[in-house]
Amino acid sequence: MTIKDRPARITHWIDGKPWNGTAERSGEVFDPATGAVSSTVDFASPAEVDEAVASARHAWQGWRDTSLATRTAVLFAFRELFSSARSELAAIITSEHGKVLSDAAGEVQRALESVDFACGIPHLLKGEFSENASTGLDVYSVRQPLGVVGVISPFNFPAMVPLWFVPNAIACGNAVVLKPSEKDPSSATFIAELWARAGLPAGVFNVVHGDKVAVDRMLEHPDVKAVSFVGSTPVARYVYRTGTGNGKRVQALGGAKNHMVVLADADLDLAADAAVSAGFGSAGERCMAVSVVVAVEEIADELVAKIAERIPRLRVGDGRRPDSEMGPLITAAHRDRVAGYLDRGTAEGASLVVDGRAHGVEGGRDGFWLGPCLFDRVEPDMSIYTDEIFGPVLSVVRRPTYASAVELVNANPYGNGTAIFTNDGGAVRRFRHDVEVGMVGVNVPIPVPVGYYSFGGWKDSLFGDTHAYGPEGVRFYTRAKVVTSRWPGSSHGGIDLGFPHNT
Ligand code: NAD
């Protein structure tokens, strides 16, 4: 192998530049559409995490005292650079994640919303002021940054999920250490370069690549004050318990099993289009993907037929081809795990209406392919219902009534997103009140909130109290301080050992 043929090496970004050490461990990064190894990525040891945290801790001293005007200028500069680099970043995402280019471009666009929001930080950090709360005494509040904060992100949104957190954290005056997914690490490094070009001081944003070793060090490091995590539920639960056990503020967003309820009066063509788009977009590798359609029995046959007739027309192929609508899965192992559910679901008694293994593919022979799959007559005790499959496998569960459909949704341990399809305003009103899920769509299958609201599920889809990005993100990355103040010139009333009361 010549040097030219060797896969590129992706390394950490510490103190405003690429790390120049030698890693003890590394991983392979694949092009999922061809199955080829495209690069290797360094895995951080605890010592490299310590180096990044030390750089962040040092940089934070200056950044926390940097004026809002200067911080905002850096954010606007980053916004401009990021916006100009949208196509380049989308291409990077497609090359490592596999999602089709238009989908990657959508991810980048949604990431931009979080940057836009953080550009308004002077307004968002305004405190409160009460003049003369007691005679001659004023009370006011400020919100201050926490220090070094850690962000740990999943493979399925390598740009958007880190940027749910990083702009708010930086805008609030914190320094960040990001540990992105080791499966598609290049977007994080690309974003780090943009921050540096935007004028962010070295050390305010660092990237350490790696796996559990790096995560564990971040969770125990005394200088990491808060952690934002997104990933699967077992790891989210572990991160939440370990991080909070070590005294950190933690928000840990987990997995999902999103239900789309279709009532008898719904527009069934709209519902079928939505189920196909939200079930198979990004090959089902979205935390807000619809994985379960709950069809009221009366219209179930018709809805299943409409979904099934749409699937063969989907173009599955290399995400770089302009006509591809669905790309490959992230790794061969994940593709095999997802495909394993097809035999398991059939053995459990569900009816496999469309078997994606037979779907035609326009892509590399060794790519990690699986076409869209549809199960009907799925029951809640089957593994295809209980497990988060995270692939292009859509299950239809039939229920006799609206009430039994909502009961099913609420009994599920996950509570990330859900949707209802109907023309009945009264049913919608009941649904949005009754459903135990954090994000609700009404005739909208993927109700990801806009950047000036916040994103978060309920139950096993989120551990912690605060949702991601938007106003809740600003609260997560700051702590409140309330000042009670009197100045000479107003009477203090002399010595009084009683508990102070306001008069
Ligand atoms: P994952 O849990 O395997 O990995 C997430 C992160 O944790 C990665 O950075 C990974 O390196 C690290 N990690 C993995 N195993 C670990 C361990 N044992 N200890 C410590 N760290 C570990 O998740 P993934 O496969 O990268 O992403 C897919 C999952 O993320 C799905 O479950 C999906 O639903 C979920 N997700 C949730 C949301 C949300 O907002 N709720 C958004 C996107 C993805």
Side-chain angles (χ1 to χ4, degrees):
M1 188 185 270
T2 66
I3 289 182
K4 191 170 154 289
D5 295 331
R6 244 178 236 150
R9 173 185 159 223
I10 300 159
T11 194
H12 321 301
W13 182 274
I14 299 178
D15 210 31
K17 53 188 179 307
W19 183 65
N20 64 4
T22 307
E24 287 164 13
R25 297 187 306 128
S26 62
E28 291 179 326
V29 180
F30 292 89
D31 175 346
T34 64
V37 175
S38 57
S39 49
T40 62
V41 57
D42 289 350
F43 280 9
S45 69
E48 279 109 68
V49 174
D50 289 357
E51 199 179 322
V53 174
S55 163
R57 176 87 177 86
H58 179 74
W60 177 63
Q61 310 288 350
W63 186 243
R64 72 188 289 260
D65 291 336
T66 300
S67 70
L68 275 174
T70 303
R71 277 193 245 157
T72 307
V74 171
L75 276 146
F76 270 97
F78 176 78
R79 194 226 174 259
E80 282 314 298
L81 290 166
F82 186 82
S83 180
S84 309
R86 275 179 294 178
S87 312
E88 208 179 333
L89 182 53
I92 291 171
I93 294 170
T94 296
S95 70
E96 291 184 351
H97 176 284
K99 65 177 73 173
V100 299
L101 263 177
S102 55
D103 191 27
E107 162 175 0
V108 174
Q109 190 61 36
R110 292 308 291 261
L112 191 57
E113 284 187 15
S114 301
V115 183
D116 288 347
F117 179 81
C119 285
I121 198 66
H123 178 72
L124 298 163
L125 281 185
K126 280 182 195 160
E128 297 163 307
F129 193 102
S130 302
E131 186 186 43
N132 237 14
S134 189
T135 310
L137 180 143
D138 305 324
V139 178
Y140 55 95
S141 66
V142 291
R143 296 201 71 90
Q144 297 187 328
L146 306 176
V148 179
V149 302
V151 176
I152 301 159
S153 56
F155 81 82
N156 66 321
F157 284 108
M160 183 185 78
V161 167
L163 290 176
W164 278 357
F165 304 107
V166 174
N168 267 347
I170 288 177
C172 290
N174 301 282
V176 179
V177 177
L178 166 67
K179 206 301 284 172
S181 170
E182 64 277 32
K183 297 191 177 101
D184 44 12
S186 292
S187 300
T189 310
F190 183 81
I191 289 168
E193 287 166 7
L194 295 183
W195 279 114
R197 284 171 54 201
L200 188 72
V204 177
F205 179 61
N206 305 274
V207 180
V208 290
H209 294 289
D211 56 3
K212 179 173 166 55
V213 172
V215 171
D216 283 346
R217 181 59 188 147
M218 284 167 75
L219 294 177
E220 70 190 17
H221 199 301
D223 283 340
V224 175
K225 299 298 177 197
V227 172
S228 298
F229 171 90
V230 181
S232 56
T233 287
V235 184
R237 189 182 277 117
Y238 165 78
V239 166
Y240 184 75
R241 285 186 181 154
T242 313
T244 53
N246 288 331
K248 301 182 196 316
R249 186 179 286 197
V250 181
Q251 51 178 187
L253 284 70
K257 196 82 182 175
N258 303 312
H259 294 57
M260 169 177 151
V261 175
V262 184
L263 299 187
D265 71 327
D267 175 337
L268 294 189
D269 285 309
L270 173 74
D273 285 347
V276 168
S277 307
F280 305 123
S282 204
E285 292 173 329
R286 288 183 187 139
C287 64
M288 289 291 272
V290 164
S291 47
V292 181
V293 172
V294 189
V296 171
E297 185 67 61
E298 199 181 325
I299 47 86
D301 284 341
E302 197 182 340
L303 181 62
V304 169
K306 282 180 184 292
I307 295 172
E309 85 187 20
R310 283 160 167 77
I311 292 177
R313 297 199 292 266
L314 294 177
R315 290 184 297 273
V316 178
D318 189 318
R320 289 162 286 230
R321 292 173 62 100
D323 56 346
S324 293
E325 293 171 289
M326 189 185 115
L329 278 81
I330 184 72
T331 58
H334 185 56
R335 187 267 322 275
D336 294 346
R337 178 183 163 274
V338 173
Y341 279 100
L342 302 178
D343 292 336
R344 199 170 324 154
T346 311
E348 287 169 342
S351 131
L352 184 57
V353 181
V354 181
D355 184 342
R357 289 172 292 200
H359 203 103
V361 170
E362 292 287 341
R365 197 169 43 92
D366 298 325
F368 310 140
W369 303 108
L370 178 64
C373 308
L374 179 65
F375 274 114
D376 189 11
R377 301 189 182 280
V378 174
E379 291 299 330
D381 58 349
M382 296 177 181
S383 63
I384 50 173
Y385 178 82
T386 55
D387 297 1
E388 184 189 32
I389 298 175
F390 219 56
V393 180
L394 186 59
S395 292
V396 176
V397 181
R398 296 169 176 237
R399 280 293 169 267
T401 58
Y402 163 86
S404 55
V406 176
E407 208 175 297
L408 179 80
V409 180
N410 286 349
N412 194 281
Y414 296 107
N416 214 37
T418 189
I420 185 164
F421 279 71
T422 178
N423 284 310
D424 179 344
V428 168
R429 207 166 170 275
R430 269 173 70 195
F431 185 75
R432 75 164 190 244
H433 182 73
D434 293 342
V435 80
E436 292 172 24
V437 173
M439 293 171 282
V440 180
V442 176
N443 297 316
V444 171
I446 308 181
V448 175
V450 290
Y452 42 94
Y453 281 75
S454 298
F455 179 109
W458 287 13
K459 302 188 278 185
D460 285 358
S461 294
L462 188 146
F463 303 94
D465 307 310
T466 335
H467 288 192
Y469 69 76
E472 296 220 6
V474 172
R475 273 192 286 281
F476 183 78
Y477 290 123
T478 53
R479 48 186 173 171
K481 188 177 271 178
V482 183
V483 181
T484 303
S485 151
R486 186 197 303 285
W487 290 95
S490 63
S491 164
H492 66 285
I495 291 174
D496 181 355
L497 269 59
F499 192 66
H501 59 279
N502 299 314
T503 53

